[in-house]
Amino acid sequence: MTDAAPLTLNGTPTRVRFCPAPSGWLHVGSVRAALYNWLHARHHAGTFVFRIEDTDASRATEESMRSMLDAMLWIGLDWDEGPQLEVDGTIGARGDYGPYRQSERSELYTAVARRLEAAGHTYRDHRTAEELEAWREQQRAGGDGGPPVVKAANFEHTDDELARFATEDRPASLRLRTPASGATVVTDLVRGEIRFDWASISDPVIERSNGTATYPLANSIDDVAQGIDLICRGEDLLSVTPRQVLIHELLLADGLLDEALAEVGLPPRDPAWGAPRRFAHLPMVVGMDRKKLSKRHGSVSIQEFRRQGFLPATLRNYLALLGWAPNDGRERLTDAEMIESFELDSVGRSAAAFDVDKLTAFNGERIRDLDPDDLTDKLVPFLDGTYGDEALLDDPATPQQLAMLRGLVPLIQERMQRLDEVVNYAGAFLRDHVELDPASVAKVFTKAGSYESIEAAQAALAEAEWTVDAIEAALRALSEELGIGFGKVAQPIRVAVTGSSVSPPLFESIELMGRELTISRLAAAAPVAREARAEAL
RNA sequence: GCCCCCGUCGUCUAGCGGCCGAGGACGCCGCCCUCUCACGGCGGUAACGUGGGUUCAAAUCCCAUCGGGGGUACCA
């Protein structure tokens, strides 16, 4: 820790949270927000809370919950409080201020809503969706030209209307009264002070007509109840901030939230906690076309990147750099280095484009840094059918297969950028037969000396000592013998043996494959080369 | 329409009044290495949106303008 203040102003360690809706997959933009929260918590020795915002219970299946947890575990952002995958496969929780799924806290939201209502901070809105839409249409187009701002002054029903709706048994949502005038200033760590005029902010619905809490209510309640002191989230939530700080204040006034907590039997707040006093709104993550990052741009969920063979450490490093840079300008950072130098107030303000090419380059570097045995282990799921469609390995892999893979890794490690590329190389080593790539055949076998090289190699390798050096010596001798450059003899042999004009280093590949396989492939390719050459003439 | 945010190479960024004839990284282009492809090494390409101020001095401060984005939901 450098100049990090380990404690917040009131003396308690910082508490931050990541609270996605459980759609099933994690968007890279969300992961970056999670990462920044995590880095902040770890840098300041605070607490990182993971909360699931499944207010809309219909979308929150057990399946999607599991997928979220799995993704968070994989990306490596460990949380101190939140849901937890138990050993028996069920979903439990850890932490003293749970539950950490909003679907399990609905009683609290109701208790708070009743208190806000009793205190006169709310009013009922009996309008139907159609009526609301019609009203907005009229406001937008309207002759009076006013913006569609919902305020108690122009929206609260008269007593007569209320009485009539009551007899009609018409459902109603609950709206929060926001100030009619004046302004509120939000202090944002990345943007500085931002001023909002209440006159242009609508009274939000905090409880739907079916009685469930909406995001502004549930999110605000949980942040205060769980002692979140810094709210770090996407810029898309910036405009919602004023009404949330208003709710925070209301919750703390007269112990309103504390009473509600006690009433429904949820854990009490730590008395030292206040309202979230700091905000950090992160710039959007966009595609290279500057539009909001979506499926049109390719992969957007962290799970997809996993299947494509990106390393979690690469994602953490790359995502950290999407909007932030350490003072010394380094880019390849370990977790410890990021935690050491990360500061939210040095996060940039403009939207960042997600550049897969750079991510891929970073990934290649990290793959090269891996211990070969470690890399071997990481490659297995890309070969046994776990991720890809075709399986080159049995599941589980045989010792012979693993030995072959282990031997292959040093040959391919420095030419991979993604783990899934292993399938491009491994086929020639793990399969009995190799398909000769037609393009390679057309390009290489048609050249002078191709079948001569292959046939000569067959003879030479039949007797060569089986070491890389001896194989190299035997093949280089062919070049002299045939009177052509070594490149001209190596390429046909490469195609014959690996099936492609692009492969790992030839001598090492041959050595790894073994004499039997090598000779049989040379034998099989020789007539193909003869034919290709004949046709070319 | 209204509210809010943003604006340095194609992209991520460094820069916080002179050290900037703007630095790094990815990409791209050359060259070297070389049995292919890579790795690696070396070199190059490329940016302060525009217009006004303030100042001896502006990428850095102010204003305007243009451009981009977010919000404007009984979604989160």
Side-chain angles (χ1 to χ4, degrees):
Chain A
M1 290 313 101
T2 50
D3 54 348
L7 303 177
T8 56
L9 297 173
N10 65 1
T12 58
T14 185
R15 291 172 61 83
V16 291
R17 67 0 181 220
F18 171 57
C19 47
S23 73
W25 24 270
L26 273 178
H27 189 278
V28 289
S30 301
V31 173
R32 191 196 49 168
L35 174 67
Y36 282 19
N37 275 290
W38 180 80
L39 287 170
H40 174 83
R42 294 293 170 261
H43 179 103
H44 293 281
T47 302
F48 179 47
V49 178
F50 179 26
R51 186 173 73 221
I52 302 287
E53 309 233 314
D54 55 348
T55 296
D56 190 351
S58 58
R59 271 194 285 166
T61 64
E62 205 61 13
E63 174 75 28
S64 63
M65 270 293 293
R66 218 169 286 277
S67 171
M68 300 283 285
L69 287 177
D70 188 48
M72 280 292 280
L73 253 14
W74 178 76
I75 193 65
L77 303 179
D78 56 305
W79 56 97
D80 305 299
E81 298 178 19
Q84 171 171 283
L85 214 46
E86 307 293 355
V87 282
D88 64 3
T90 61
I91 297 172
R94 64 166 164 278
D96 297 332
Y97 305 98
Y100 296 92
R101 298 173 66 172
Q102 290 192 329
S103 55
E104 296 170 4
R105 318 185 108 234
S106 50
E107 284 181 24
L108 174 64
Y109 309 142
T110 303
V112 168
R114 294 294 72 76
R115 282 174 167 75
L116 288 172
E117 193 172 19
H121 296 304
T122 65
Y123 60 95
R124 290 280 165 187
D125 181 358
H126 289 266
R127 269 163 278 252
T128 62
E130 294 72 38
E131 287 170 336
L132 281 171
E133 190 42 48
W135 179 82
R136 283 196 192 92
E137 273 312 303
Q138 180 203 330
Q139 290 294 307
R140 264 193 270 260
D144 56 337
V149 179
V150 172
K151 285 290 182 185
N154 64 6
F155 235 62
E156 199 165 3
H157 299 297
T158 63
D159 288 345
D160 285 351
E161 286 173 320
L162 251 18
R164 194 175 78 236
F165 293 146
T167 64
E168 289 175 8
D169 207 23
R170 216 172 141 150
S173 64
L174 191 67
R175 283 186 189 272
L176 180 72
R177 271 178 224 281
T178 57
S181 61
T184 185
V185 173
V186 173
T187 303
D188 191 286
L189 258 34
V190 348
R191 277 151 228 284
E193 294 196 336
I194 306 158
R195 183 190 174 85
F196 295 91
D197 287 318
W198 282 112
S200 60
I201 297 173
S202 284
D203 290 347
V205 168
I206 59 173
E207 212 176 50
R208 302 184 183 97
S209 46
N210 68 7
T212 59
T214 60
Y215 170 80
L217 212 223
N219 182 264
S220 302
I221 289 176
D222 291 343
D223 283 343
V224 176
Q226 295 175 336
I228 305 303
D229 68 293
L230 164 60
I231 293 177
C232 168
R233 80 240 284 199
E235 187 190 357
D236 49 338
L237 291 165
L238 180 58
S239 59
V240 113
T241 307
R243 66 195 196 199
Q244 282 193 275
V245 310
L246 175 65
I247 297 176
H248 294 155
E249 287 166 12
L250 260 23
L251 293 173
L252 257 15
D254 306 320
L256 190 151
L257 175 61
D258 291 324
E259 285 177 21
L261 245 10
E263 180 192 317
V264 301
L266 253 36
R269 299 164 51 246
D270 184 319
W273 292 343
R277 71 207 81 235
R278 293 178 297 171
F279 290 85
H281 286 96
L282 274 19
M284 298 260 106
V285 176
V286 298
M288 293 299 274
D289 59 0
R290 301 255 120 207
K291 299 279 189 247
K292 197 170 183 174
L293 192 63
S294 71
K295 269 164 282 183
R296 290 187 302 107
H297 298 97
S299 305
V300 292
S301 79
I302 208 73
Q303 288 97 328
E304 289 174 279
F305 288 100
R306 177 183 190 175
R307 299 179 75 89
Q308 289 171 338
F310 288 96
L311 266 14
T314 310
L315 263 327
R316 272 181 259 132
N317 190 170
Y318 176 74
L319 254 16
L321 260 22
L322 218 50
W324 171 79
N327 292 326
D328 55 22
R330 280 175 308 164
E331 294 205 319
R332 321 306 139 117
L333 301 167
T334 63
D335 288 342
E337 289 167 335
M338 290 192 285
I339 290 168
E340 160 79 28
S341 48
F342 186 80
E343 284 293 353
L344 272 174
D345 56 19
S346 57
V347 168
R349 291 165 300 281
S350 49
F354 190 88
D355 184 351
V356 193
D357 285 342
K358 184 159 181 171
L359 205 218
T360 306
F362 268 42
N363 204 52
E365 290 181 16
R366 293 199 110 101
I367 287 176
R368 270 166 247 140
D369 287 343
L370 253 27
D371 173 81
D373 286 335
D374 184 20
L375 177 55
T376 304
D377 294 341
K378 287 179 159 60
L379 256 16
V380 170
F382 292 88
L383 293 168
D384 67 7
T386 302
Y387 292 146
D389 325 305
E390 81 183 310
L392 293 169
L393 292 177
D394 294 336
D395 185 14
T398 65
Q400 292 84 346
Q401 289 174 329
L402 287 178
M404 182 62 91
L405 181 59
R406 197 169 299 115
L408 179 61
V409 162
L411 307 188
I412 62 175
Q413 182 162 17
E414 70 187 19
R415 55 204 91 217
M416 282 198 295
Q417 291 193 297
R418 298 175 4 185
L419 300 180
D420 61 351
E421 290 164 13
V422 67
V423 301
N424 302 337
Y425 297 109
F429 296 84
L430 293 171
R431 272 203 256 265
D432 293 336
H433 293 287
V434 68
E435 288 291 318
L436 297 179
D437 166 51
S440 298
V441 168
K443 185 169 137 203
V444 176
F445 283 0
T446 50
K447 303 259 172 68
S450 61
Y451 69 82
E452 293 89 334
S453 297
I454 293 171
E455 287 166 359
Q458 243 181 108
L461 292 177
E463 8 205 271
E465 189 194 341
W466 211 254
T467 65
V468 172
D469 286 347
I471 291 165
E472 172 165 6
L475 294 184
R476 284 197 187 278
L478 259 39
S479 170
E480 198 119 342
E481 185 184 319
L482 297 170
I484 52 180
F486 183 65
K488 295 279 186 205
V489 355
Q491 279 307 83
I493 298 173
R494 182 191 312 283
V495 174
V497 167
T498 69
S500 168
S501 61
V502 173
S503 84
L506 186 58
F507 317 129
E508 286 82 351
S509 296
I510 288 174
E511 194 263 349
L512 180 62
M513 268 178 210
R515 194 189 308 265
E516 195 185 338
L517 200 53
T518 304
I519 301 284
S520 74
R521 285 188 181 167
L522 287 168
V528 180
R530 265 185 189 275
E531 189 180 339
R533 177 62 184 159
E535 275 176 26
L537 289 176

